[in-house]
Amino acid sequence: MEYKLEYGQKNIAALVIVSLFCFLSGCLPAPYYQKEEAVPQDAWAYSFKPSFEFNITDTTVGYQPYFLIRHTQAYPYSNLWVLLYIKTPGDSLIKVERVNVPLAENTGKWLGRGMGEIYEQRLPMNLGDSVNFNRKGTYTISLEQNMRINPLPEILNVGIRIEKTGVRTH
């Protein structure tokens, strides 16, 4: 027995699917903090070091930092090396982490989401045990590109996102 949807039923089915999608996408975690900076002339020079400052007020929950990037498909490499300068509340020293950011698979296929010639990614960052957002106060993370070419072409935006991850276990 074959069942065919009539015109009105197709509209209702489409409405249900769209409503379900909207409901599920609304369940994605909202960022605790998110900010992006446009890279001047879409070429990340050593001198461009965007800085992101955010305040942690609740130390009973965990936090996951992410590196945000938008680049074009003309970006000439499959990865990006970034220096993170991290200042935690009450510390006078700035911790420096060198992070490798993969942007493409070995096959050359870009990672992340693409729309036309632009790709964007949100990559989790491991900042080590010494930076786990367990102190109340203002944190500052600055970014510096650490590739051998200056300026680094086809980078449009870079940024930081912080998400709450739930109750802190330690």
Side-chain angles (χ1 to χ4, degrees), residues 102-116:
L103 299 176
E105 296 176 357
N106 291 339
T107 62
K109 180 183 177 216
W110 293 111
L111 301 171
R113 297 183 317 197
M115 182 182 295

Side-chain angles (χ1 to χ4, degrees), residues 67-125:
F67 174 71
L68 307 173
I69 183 166
R70 286 182 60 226
H71 64 89
T72 71
Q73 69 181 11
Y75 179 71
Y77 303 101
S78 64
N79 72 327
L80 168 66
W81 284 97
V82 178
L83 291 175
L84 304 172
Y85 298 90
I86 308 154
K87 184 167 181 329
T88 57
D91 287 338
S92 57
L93 297 177
I94 296 175
K95 181 180 178 184
V96 180
E97 291 283 334
R98 188 170 189 247
V99 177
N100 182 24
V101 178
L103 299 176
E105 296 176 357
N106 291 339
T107 62
K109 180 183 177 216
W110 293 111
L111 301 171
R113 297 183 317 197
M115 182 182 295
E117 296 181 1
I118 298 174
Y119 289 83
E120 63 182 27
Q121 277 196 75
R122 179 179 78 180
L123 296 119
M125 292 188 298

Side-chain angles (χ1 to χ4, degrees), residues 14-29:
L15 181 61
V16 168
I17 290 170
V18 169
S19 298
L20 183 62
F21 175 76
C22 291
F23 173 74
L24 291 176
S25 66
C27 295
L28 296 174

